[in-house]
């Protein structure tokens, strides 16, 4: 059977503003049975939130990540069929897929597609048709700005934006988001938090999480991070900033 690529859960998940916005995007798609888009820069927590949503059994959503080389019509059709557990995943028929979703045999509360910028314009239009013809709620997550109009996809490209019910534009990482991630990684004193916030300025949450993971590598799961461990990590990643914190 085709193995889907799915966003992987992060080691320590923090509820951030991006998390709330992506969750709101999914909730709105299910409420209106439409198509919504959560779009924003890399490393702010989009994929980790998608992983959380897909792991929520009560929600029941299905989904997948579009790999960098996997956005054609035929591949997307196979990904969708596999995500919805259709028996003909190897040679799916789009018409049969519409029928099975419409009559409830392979319907789900929501289909979540991550890294949507890797989809070809025609492939993305095919995904939108699943909503229009079968009423399947769809959430598209990624950097829509990476989709480019070309001479070969102009017709498909023109039909994308006006078929999406609502766009959610996600903000860059905030200091509040960095603090939430830091607390999840065991930062709870003022000096340690000051170091993390200084390091995280103008960086993605992914970069901040890697920094905190490096600082924690010698600690037990429940131990707290301290300024000395954070400064040691800074010596590897940002020596100039580490010296400034002395």
């Amino acid at each position: 059977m085709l193995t889907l690529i799915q966003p992987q859960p992060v080691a320590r998940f923090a509820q951030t503003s991006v998390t709330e916005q992506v969750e709101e995007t999914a909730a709105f798609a299910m409420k209106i049975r439409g198509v919504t888009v959560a779009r924003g820069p890399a490393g702010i927590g989009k994929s980790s939130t998608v992983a959380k949503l897909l792991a929520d059994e009560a929600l029941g959503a299905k989904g997948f990540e579009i790999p960098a080389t996997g956005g054609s019509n035929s591949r997307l059709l196979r990904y969708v069929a596999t995500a919805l557990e259709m028996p003909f995943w190897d040679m799916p028929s789009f018409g049969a897929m519409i029928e099975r979703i419409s009559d409830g045999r392979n319907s789900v509360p929501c289909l979540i597609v991550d890294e949507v910028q890797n989809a070809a314009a025609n492939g993305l239009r095919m995904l939108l048709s699943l909503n229009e013809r079968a009423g399947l709620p769809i959430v598209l997550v990624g950097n829509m700005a990476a989709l480019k109009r070309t001479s070969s996809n102009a017709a498909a490209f023109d039909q994308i934006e006006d078929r999406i019910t609502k766009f959610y534009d996600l903000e860059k990482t905030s200091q509040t988001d960095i603090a939430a991630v830091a607390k999840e990684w065991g930062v709870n004193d003022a000096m340690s938090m000051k170091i993390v916030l200084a390091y995280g300025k103008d960086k993605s949450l992914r970069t901040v999480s890697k920094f905190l993971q490096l600082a924690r590598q010698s600690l037990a799961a429940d131990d707290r991070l301290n300024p000395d461990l954070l400064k040691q990590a800074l010596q590897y990643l940002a020596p100039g900033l580490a010296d400034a914190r002395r």
Side-chain angles (χ1 to χ4, degrees):
M1 188 173 186
L2 178 68
T3 300
L4 292 179
I5 298 174
Q6 292 187 323
Q8 295 300 302
V10 294
R12 293 172 180 256
F13 185 84
Q15 191 79 8
T16 66
S17 60
V18 168
T19 303
E20 294 170 356
Q21 286 180 287
V22 175
E23 290 174 343
E24 181 184 344
T25 305
F28 189 69
M30 289 186 286
K31 179 179 180 179
I32 64 170
R33 301 195 65 79
V35 179
T36 57
V37 171
R39 58 186 179 183
I44 60 173
K46 300 187 301 296
S47 292
S48 59
T49 304
V50 170
K52 175 177 177 280
L53 292 172
L54 294 179
D56 185 347
E57 294 183 1
L59 180 63
K62 301 293 184 180
F64 57 91
E65 174 184 311
I66 302 176
T69 58
S72 67
N73 271 26
S74 59
R75 289 188 178 184
L76 282 177
L77 200 62
R78 291 175 63 192
Y79 297 151
V80 172
T82 302
L84 300 185
E85 300 177 357
M86 294 185 177
F88 45 86
W89 66 270
D90 54 340
M91 291 192 64
S93 157
F94 187 66
M97 180 181 290
I98 294 294
E99 181 180 344
R100 293 184 71 93
I101 295 171
S102 299
D103 65 21
R105 281 177 290 170
N106 289 90
S107 187
V108 295
C110 185
L111 178 69
I112 305 176
V113 182
D114 194 24
E115 304 294 356
V116 71
Q117 70 274 7
N118 293 330
N122 282 324
L124 185 54
R125 190 172 65 171
M126 183 274 295
L127 284 176
L128 298 177
S129 293
L130 291 177
N131 172 259
E132 292 181 336
R133 299 189 184 188
L136 177 66
I138 297 176
V139 179
L140 304 176
V141 181
N143 179 9
M144 291 290 285
L147 284 170
K148 301 296 183 183
R149 176 193 297 273
T150 66
S151 58
S152 61
N153 73 6
F157 200 94
D158 287 341
Q159 297 183 42
I160 291 174
E161 286 204 352
D162 62 357
R163 298 167 75 180
I164 293 171
T165 309
K166 187 172 183 178
F167 287 89
Y168 288 77
D169 290 306
L170 308 177
E171 300 296 330
K172 292 183 178 181
T173 300
S174 69
Q175 292 281 283
T176 301
D177 292 335
I178 294 172
V181 171
K183 289 177 182 178
E184 191 64 34
W185 280 91
V187 173
N188 66 351
D189 67 273
M191 179 56 72
S192 295
M193 184 63 74
K194 185 176 181 181
I195 293 172
V196 175
L197 292 176
Y199 174 77
K201 185 179 180 181
D202 299 324
K203 292 183 175 65
S204 70
L205 288 183
R206 181 186 297 131
T207 300
V208 173
S209 294
K210 289 181 178 180
F211 162 58
L212 292 166
Q213 185 175 18
L214 176 63
R216 282 199 65 88
Q217 62 184 348
S218 63
L219 293 179
D222 295 330
D223 289 345
R224 294 292 179 179
L225 276 170
N226 59 59
D228 289 340
L229 289 171
L230 290 166
K231 289 176 182 178
Q232 288 175 22
L234 283 177
Q235 288 290 351
Y236 289 101
L237 300 176
L241 185 57
D243 293 339
R245 303 311 312 168
R246 292 186 184 279

